Amino acid sequence: MSLPDNQLSFSQEFPRRITVLRFPLLLLIIAIHASHGTQLPELEPNSFFNSVFWRLFSHSAVPFYFLISGVFVTFKLGDMESLSCRIFYRKRFFSLLVPYLLWNSIMAVPHLVLPLLFRHSPLLPAAKFPKYELWDVLLRTYGLNGELPINVPLWFVRNLMLFCILAPFLVAPLRKLPVWATLLIALALDLVPPFSGLSYFFLGMLLGLRKPALGWVDQGGLLWLGLAAALPWLMTLAPKCPFVTIDGNSLRWTMFCFFSALFFFAAGGWLLKAGRFILSWLTRLGDGTFFVFCLHAPVATTLTRIFIHLAGNRVSPTWLFLLNIVLTTFLCYLVYGALQRFASPLFAMLNGSRPSRRTLDLDSQTPPRT
C-alpha cells in the first residue's frame, strides 16, 4: 500500500522532487544572466521583471542548489557510516574538477582571441584579460586571483569543490551536535560567510543525515512564496539598519532563501502530480542541467548584446528578456544533444560523466525496509 504524499519519508520524497525540479530551477538561473544587469534596456518601473521580488527569487535558486548538493553528499550514509575520502574525492574529481577546468579553458579562448580580431565590436563583452601574461591569464581563467572564473557561473562549482573537500570531516560533528546548535552555526555562516553557499551546503548535509519528515512543507503551499515575496517590501521599515536589509549577507536575505526553499520543495510535490508526459520531459531535460548551466551564461549575455544592437528600444525589454531565456535554453540543449551524439568522449568530460536518467520511478512510494 502506498502512503499519502505528506507521509512519505525524506529518503523517498526528496530525490523524486529534485529530479523534476532541476529544469525549472535551471530556468531561474538562466533568467539571472538573460537580463544581464544594465545591458538590457531599462524595464518599466512597474514591471514584474523589474521588481525586487523577481530579481531576488531567481537568485534564491543558487542557495537551494547548494542545499541539494549537501543533501546528496550524506543522503545514502548509514547511521554510523562515514564518507570514504578516497572514493568521495575520486568521484568529485571527475564530476566537478575536470568539467571546471575544461569549461573555463574553452571559454578563455574567445576572450583571448576575439578582442584581438574585433577590437571595438559592440557584440563583445568587456575585456577580461587586460594583461596577457601567462600567469595572470591562468589565475583569471580559473578564478584563483580573488575574481570570478572566466565562465562566471562556475564560481558555484569552485565553491562546491571547496565544500566537498571539507565534507568528510563534517559528518561526525553534524551527527554529534544538537540540531539547534547546527542551525545556529548555519545561520552564522550565512550572515558572515567565509565562502558563499557554505551555510546551505552545511544545512543540506544535516538534512541528508537526519532525513526529517517534510510533509508539513506541503501544508504551507503558496504561503512560503508569499512570505518570501513580503520580505523585500519591508525594506522601508528599517532603511538605516544594514543587518535587516535584503542586500548582501543579511538576516532578511537568509529568511528569503529559507521561504523560497520551502516553496521549491512544495512545488516539486505539485509537479509530481502532473501527467506522465510532463514528468517524462522534466526528467529528460533535468539530465542536461549541469551541462546547460556551464554553457548558458556566454550564450545569454551574447544574445542580450545582439538584441540591444538590433532592436534597441523598439521592442519591449520584457519580451526581449523572455525571448532570451527561451533561445538560450534551446541553443544550449541543442549543443548538449549534438555533443552527446557526435562527440561522446568530450561530452562525458564536460558533463562530469553524469549518467542519464530517462524515467522517474513514480511507484516507489512504499516505505523503506527497516
Side-chain angles (χ1 to χ4, degrees):
M1 180 181 297
S2 62
L3 296 172
D5 284 348
N6 61 356
Q7 295 182 22
L8 290 175
S9 72
F10 184 90
S11 299
Q12 294 168 316
E13 192 70 355
F14 189 83
R16 297 170 69 244
R17 295 197 183 196
I18 297 308
T19 297
V20 297
L21 279 172
R22 289 187 188 276
F23 179 66
L25 289 172
L26 173 68
L27 294 180
L28 290 178
I29 301 296
I30 292 175
I32 295 173
H33 298 96
S35 60
H36 197 46
T38 57
Q39 291 198 28
L40 193 67
E42 186 69 22
L43 295 175
E44 299 86 347
N46 296 325
S47 168
F48 172 75
F49 298 100
N50 199 35
S51 68
V52 175
F53 169 70
W54 170 252
R55 286 187 276 115
L56 292 172
F57 183 61
S58 56
H59 282 83
S60 69
V62 178
F64 192 64
Y65 266 121
F66 276 120
L67 185 144
I68 293 169
S69 301
V71 169
F72 286 122
V73 164
T74 56
F75 184 74
K76 293 184 179 181
L77 291 181
D79 290 341
M80 300 302 294
E81 187 180 0
S82 60
L83 286 174
S84 168
C85 289
R86 181 178 63 84
I87 297 174
F88 183 75
Y89 290 153
R90 184 176 183 276
K91 287 182 177 179
R92 270 60 191 180
F93 175 83
F94 290 104
S95 65
L96 295 176
L97 181 58
V98 170
Y100 182 81
L101 295 175
L102 281 177
W103 279 107
N104 281 306
S105 299
I106 292 171
M107 295 300 178
V109 174
H111 282 286
L112 286 167
V113 175
L114 293 180
L116 299 177
L117 300 177
F118 309 98
R119 292 183 181 276
H120 303 293
S121 173
L123 300 182
L124 293 181
K128 298 298 191 298
F129 299 109
K131 297 180 180 180
Y132 279 79
E133 287 83 357
L134 178 60
W135 184 244
D136 292 331
V137 169
L138 290 175
L139 291 178
R140 179 66 179 86
T141 296
Y142 304 111
L144 302 176
N145 60 347
E147 295 187 62
L148 298 174
I150 199 69
N151 190 359
V152 173
L154 293 196
W155 71 266
F156 174 91
V157 178
R158 181 192 62 190
N159 286 18
L160 185 58
M161 288 190 291
L162 294 174
F163 304 159
C164 285
I165 292 174
L166 298 174
F169 307 102
L170 295 176
V171 173
L174 284 172
R175 282 201 175 107
K176 295 179 180 178
L177 283 173
V179 173
W180 64 266
T182 307
L183 293 177
L184 286 178
I185 293 173
L187 177 61
L189 289 173
D190 197 45
L191 297 176
V192 189
F195 299 101
S196 180
L198 178 58
S199 56
Y200 300 96
F201 183 83
F202 189 74
L203 181 59
M205 288 186 65
L206 176 66
L207 291 173
L209 288 171
R210 302 282 181 168
K211 299 177 178 61
L214 293 176
W216 60 272
V217 177
D218 292 334
Q219 305 303 316
L222 287 172
L223 172 64
W224 313 122
L225 186 64
L227 289 172
L231 291 174
W233 313 119
L234 298 176
M235 292 175 63
T236 56
L237 300 180
K240 296 182 179 180
C241 184
F243 185 70
V244 293
T245 61
I246 204 71
D247 301 314
N249 307 310
S250 68
L251 181 60
R252 200 179 320 180
W253 169 242
T254 300
M255 293 172 62
F256 186 96
C257 292
F258 173 73
F259 289 123
S260 295
L262 294 177
F263 170 75
F264 291 142
F265 188 79
W270 303 335
L271 289 174
L272 284 173
K273 296 176 183 177
R276 287 183 177 271
F277 177 79
I278 295 176
L279 290 175
S280 174
W281 275 104
L282 285 174
T283 305
R284 288 172 179 268
L285 292 170
D287 280 346
T289 52
F290 179 81
F291 184 96
V292 174
F293 168 77
C294 293
L295 177 60
H296 81 278
V299 176
T301 53
T302 301
L303 285 175
T304 298
R305 290 189 291 271
I306 292 174
F307 291 157
I308 293 172
H309 181 70
L310 296 179
N313 292 318
R314 295 189 298 273
V315 179
S316 166
T318 300
W319 286 110
L320 290 180
F321 172 69
L322 294 174
L323 178 63
N324 198 345
I325 294 175
V326 173
L327 280 181
T328 297
T329 304
F330 173 76
L331 291 173
C332 289
Y333 272 99
L334 188 65
V335 175
Y336 169 82
L339 286 182
Q340 187 178 34
R341 182 170 182 179
F342 300 111
S344 55
L346 174 61
F347 169 80
M349 290 188 291
L350 289 172
N351 201 42
S353 301
R354 286 167 171 77
S356 296
R357 182 177 184 178
R358 295 301 184 187
T359 59
L360 175 68
D361 186 3
L362 298 175
D363 301 315
S364 63
Q365 299 185 3
T366 54
R369 295 179 180 179
T370 58

